Amino acid sequence: MKSVFFKMICRLLVVSLITMPFSAAQAGMIGTDRAAAVTSAQADRAAVLAVVSRAEVQEQLAARGIDPKSAGDRVMAMTDSEVRSLANQLDSAPAGAARSSGWAWAAVIIIGIIIWYNWK
């Protein structure tokens, strides 16, 4: 009984060693720029997720028919360059306004109307 069990275990081990691929693990030094890029990508992803998790943003997403959880999942599925681009857009966007150029155009139109009215 004991020798049959040991023979079966030995055969199983031989078959598993033959069929399982062995890959050599490689370790090496990485540069600080690569390590900083990973940290920066994680920080950008956290910043975008923080914006998506805000209550006002979730209300706007729900109003447009987008599930806030799926929006967070989409952010997690984005590549690092896409997240970096979106984070830069969020950082450069004016707070509380859609665009500042809208006010400039409104001022130009109002000034034009005033000038036209005074010259008439």
Side-chain angles (χ1 to χ4, degrees), residues 45-98:
R45 193 173 305 274
V48 172
L49 284 173
V51 170
V52 170
S53 65
R54 289 179 30 203
E56 302 89 22
V57 174
Q58 288 186 354
E59 289 174 5
Q60 290 295 322
L61 289 172
R64 290 186 164 90
I66 300 171
D67 181 32
K69 183 177 180 338
S70 69
D73 293 340
R74 289 179 185 178
V75 170
M76 294 303 292
M78 295 171 93
T79 63
D80 291 342
S81 62
E82 292 171 337
V83 171
R84 186 179 313 113
S85 172
L86 185 58
N88 288 338
Q89 288 177 4
L90 290 174
D91 288 340
S92 65

Side-chain angles (χ1 to χ4, degrees), residues 10-28:
C10 287
R11 287 179 184 153
L12 180 66
L13 288 174
V14 168
V15 169
S16 67
L17 287 174
I18 291 172
T19 59
M20 291 179 143
F22 287 102
S23 62
Q26 295 181 355

